Amino acid sequence: ARSRERVVLAATQGEHHAVGLRMAADVLEGAGYDVHHLGADVPLDELLQACRRLAPAAVGLSVTMPANVPTLLWEIDALGRLDAPPAVFAAGPALGPAIQQGLDVPRIDGVEGLVAIVEALLAQPAGRRVLPPGLTVCAPGPAAFADTGVVTSGTRDEAFARTALSAADAARDAARHAAALEHLAFRDALTGLWNRRGYDDHHGRIAPPAGPGGAVLMLDVDRFKDVNDSRGHAGGDAVLTALATTMLRSVRPADVVARLGGDEFAILLPGTDVPGGLAVARRIRQAIRDELTDPAVTVSIGVSPVAGSQRQTSLAADRALYDAKEQGRDRVVVAGR
């Protein structure tokens, strides 16, 4: 009867993975709930704005790292202060101690029984207190820690809570900084694809296979200089960005799409044999012809199996790409054929 209710799902600020929430979203959507999945590392302000806009009946939060539990608690506290506070349920292995200390929210350990738990939660009286007074000291609002002075009441518990939360904030900032540095080191700034360094790193992880180790596609844009001459570098950049989007839609999530430089791209297809790589290359070539029409863009692609060293594989794919150019462009050529 409550399956038309709206549910918001979000990973607590500082949590960079939300795979479990995506599965929960699929289950609840299948049961007829109107689900809004906000994703990972959702800041409190963004969570509250979404709840004010969507007025959900329930909010599901996840936390996997103990350092983020204080953040989860003040998020729950803030949700309870909304004009129309939603019911709250939570998931994650780090929840145990908080629930043992009186946090009164349903704990989701898996998707089995999730619908029944949410239905039971929505049947409870609205506005009930889920965060007992003994835990509120561990969940102060962010403004309470805006400066470096002593907490007003000066209790040992509050001082400890402040220190723990500050340490958690510092750890989250360090993690975000590390992620940003990794992005700069391994990602192409224009397209967001892997760069040559990122591609080489993924290629080096492919172990000698018992079956197909993978296939490599080398690709570049036919007569890309003409595009730059007619549309300018901004137009050329727009073509490269659109090309990246089209390629990503044509491969699997586990495949590695990289911009090696200029208009040269490489795609690593782990566990794919040459016929499979050829099929993917043809699909990409046709998709680019169909989708990139202003200006009209075609590509040439070389296909090679992952065999021998990385250098040998790349040279073989490069040679196949060169042959595709020599044979008239806008075509796919397999190495050695």
Side-chain angles (χ1 to χ4, degrees), residues 37 91 118 124 132 155 167 176 178 196 202 216 222 246 254 266 289 295 316 319 330:
H37 182 260
V118 173
Q124 296 180 8
T155 66
R176 291 191 185 100
R196 183 179 291 275
H202 281 88
V216 168
D222 297 327
T246 299
R289 286 176 59 90
R319 168 55 65 178
D330 186 21

Side-chain angles (χ1 to χ4, degrees), residues 23-77:
M23 295 173 63
D26 291 342
V27 170
L28 291 173
E29 285 174 351
Y33 286 91
D34 179 13
V35 180
H36 292 258
H37 182 260
L38 302 185
D41 192 18
V42 179
L44 175 61
D45 289 345
E46 183 178 329
L47 175 64
L48 295 179
Q49 289 172 10
C51 289
R52 293 188 183 102
R53 184 178 73 256
L54 300 171
V59 172
L61 302 171
S62 70
V63 59
T64 61
M65 296 185 293
N68 289 329
V69 171
T71 304
L72 172 78
L73 296 179
W74 57 255
E75 287 178 349
I76 293 174
D77 185 58

Side-chain angles (χ1 to χ4, degrees), residues 173-222:
D173 288 343
R176 291 191 185 100
H177 183 62
L181 290 177
E182 182 179 7
H183 187 86
L184 290 173
F186 292 96
R187 292 286 183 174
D188 174 58
L190 174 63
T191 62
L193 301 177
W194 297 104
N195 59 19
R196 183 179 291 275
R197 182 177 179 182
Y199 172 78
D200 289 345
D201 182 68
H202 281 88
H203 199 298
R205 297 177 190 174
I206 296 181
V216 168
L217 313 185
M218 288 290 180
L219 173 154
D220 74 6
V221 181
D222 297 327

Side-chain angles (χ1 to χ4, degrees), residues 217 219 247 250-251 267 280-288:
L217 313 185
L219 173 154
M247 287 190 292
S250 302
V251 299
I267 303 175
V280 173
R282 287 172 173 166
R283 182 168 67 244
I284 290 173
R285 170 184 166 273
Q286 189 59 50
I288 290 169

Side-chain angles (χ1 to χ4, degrees), residues 234-247:
D237 287 350
V239 166
L240 296 176
T241 302
L243 192 76
T245 300
T246 299
M247 287 190 292

Side-chain angles (χ1 to χ4, degrees), residues 62-332:
S62 70
V63 59
T64 61
M65 296 185 293
N68 289 329
V69 171
T71 304
L72 172 78
L73 296 179
W74 57 255
E75 287 178 349
I76 293 174
D77 185 58
L79 289 170
R81 299 176 189 274
L82 292 173
D83 292 337
V88 176
F89 60 96
L95 278 171
I99 289 179
Q100 291 174 5
Q101 294 177 50
L103 177 63
D104 186 16
V105 299
R107 177 180 176 179
I108 309 299
D109 293 318
V111 294
E112 290 188 11
L114 173 61
V115 174
I117 292 173
V118 173
E119 288 177 351
L121 177 65
L122 295 180
Q124 296 180 8
R128 67 185 185 86
R129 188 177 185 90
V130 300
L131 194 65
L135 278 180
T136 55
V137 68
C138 298
F145 303 117
D147 57 35
T148 56
V150 178
V151 182
T152 52
S153 67
T155 66
R156 181 179 301 177
D157 287 343
E158 286 176 328
F160 176 79
R162 176 188 174 175
T163 302
L165 189 58
S166 297
D169 287 340
R172 283 193 296 270
D173 288 343
R176 291 191 185 100
H177 183 62
L181 290 177
E182 182 179 7
H183 187 86
L184 290 173
F186 292 96
R187 292 286 183 174
D188 174 58
L190 174 63
T191 62
L193 301 177
W194 297 104
N195 59 19
R196 183 179 291 275
R197 182 177 179 182
Y199 172 78
D200 289 345
D201 182 68
H202 281 88
H203 199 298
R205 297 177 190 174
I206 296 181
V216 168
L217 313 185
M218 288 290 180
L219 173 154
D220 74 6
V221 181
D222 297 327
R223 298 186 175 89
F224 184 64
K225 183 178 182 300
D226 293 346
V227 176
N228 276 332
D229 290 345
S230 62
R231 301 296 179 103
H233 288 290
D237 287 350
V239 166
L240 296 176
T241 302
L243 192 76
T245 300
T246 299
M247 287 190 292
L248 287 172
R249 284 203 298 261
S250 302
V251 299
R252 304 166 299 183
D255 296 332
V256 178
V257 183
R259 181 188 178 205
L260 303 184
D263 63 317
E264 184 181 2
F265 297 84
I267 303 175
L268 179 62
L269 307 172
T272 302
D273 58 14
V274 169
L278 179 60
V280 173
R282 287 172 173 166
R283 182 168 67 244
I284 290 173
R285 170 184 166 273
Q286 189 59 50
I288 290 169
R289 286 176 59 90
D290 293 342
E291 297 177 18
L292 276 67
T293 57
D294 185 22
V297 172
T298 63
V299 296
S300 299
I301 306 176
V303 181
S304 172
V306 174
S309 69
Q310 181 176 339
R311 175 178 171 77
Q312 291 172 322
T313 300
S314 297
L315 286 174
D318 277 333
R319 168 55 65 178
L321 172 59
Y322 177 82
D323 290 344
K325 294 288 190 183
E326 287 293 297
Q327 294 175 24
R329 300 183 175 89
D330 186 21
R331 65 193 62 224
V332 178

